[in-house]
Amino acid sequence: MEVAREQFATNTYRASSMREIAAELGIAKPSLYHHFSSKAAILEQLVAAPIDALGAAVDAAAAEPDSDEARRRLLRDCIAAMVTHQDVMRLLLRDASIYNDDSTRIVGTVVGTVDRAVAILAGPDADWRRRLRAAQAFAAATDPVGHFSDAPGEEFREALYQGAAALLDLD
């Protein structure tokens, strides 16, 4: 998975090939196909942990009553998932070649998770302005992860949280 992530990060997802990944691993391409049916299957396994973590954060928040505390926890948990898996999330946030027919299922899962998070952050019966703020807050909490690989972990998480929480008047 590390070799594939490095190949995707260096060459982009589209420009990377199963042949190159196999060669980097020192195995024959058919051996790689024995483990993964396609490059999209590698990508899916690569992003599974962060996507599962984001989904778990959204599920936990959805199970709580509508409250500012649930929104705070959702922001913090989403940020933690993004920062913990920063290298992989950078691929999803910065490599447009990932978004193709092969990755429709992965992208659909990500979009659905983000939509659910935004709805929870907005709250029930939110008007378009509140939904807009919620979308802005989620973006403020997650999008910078792809830009700041040198930021110190805990300080970075707190800065992301403070920016997002301010948009929702949570702190």
Side-chain angles (χ1 to χ4, degrees):
M1 296 316 303
E2 183 63 24
V3 168
R5 187 196 58 73
E6 288 176 14
Q7 285 284 328
F8 297 162
T10 302
N11 303 323
T12 74
Y13 174 75
R14 179 176 291 147
S16 298
S17 70
M18 294 289 276
R19 180 189 56 75
E20 291 169 332
I21 294 168
E24 184 74 23
L25 290 168
I27 63 173
K29 189 168 120 178
S31 295
L32 184 58
Y33 276 108
H34 177 74
H35 298 283
F36 297 98
S37 61
S38 66
K39 188 168 63 169
I42 294 173
L43 177 66
E44 190 166 329
Q45 185 167 333
L46 189 62
V47 302
I51 299 309
D52 289 349
L54 285 172
V58 173
D59 290 344
E64 294 182 42
D66 176 51
S67 70
D68 284 347
E69 186 53 39
R71 288 180 191 83
R72 286 184 192 100
R73 192 170 12 271
L74 175 59
L75 282 175
R76 288 195 183 280
D77 289 350
C78 286
I79 290 166
M82 297 288 288
V83 174
T84 299
H85 302 283
Q86 193 169 12
D87 289 344
V88 174
M89 295 311 298
R90 190 175 298 112
L91 291 173
L92 287 176
L93 295 168
R94 302 201 44 128
D95 184 355
S97 74
I98 286 176
Y99 302 97
N100 61 47
D101 291 342
D102 293 340
S103 62
T104 301
R105 192 170 86 77
I106 298 164
V107 172
T109 300
V110 171
V111 168
T113 301
V114 169
D115 288 349
R116 289 180 59 220
V118 168
I120 292 167
L121 292 172
D125 304 319
D127 65 3
W128 72 268
R129 285 179 180 87
R130 183 73 180 165
R131 292 190 319 269
L132 173 63
R133 284 290 193 174
Q136 289 172 321
F138 189 83
T142 59
D143 288 357
V145 168
H147 297 279
F148 295 93
S149 60
D150 63 335
E154 193 54 44
E155 189 177 344
F156 185 47
R157 288 178 194 208
E158 188 58 28
L160 290 169
Y161 173 78
Q162 291 301 322
L167 287 168
L168 295 173
D169 297 321
L170 289 176
D171 283 333

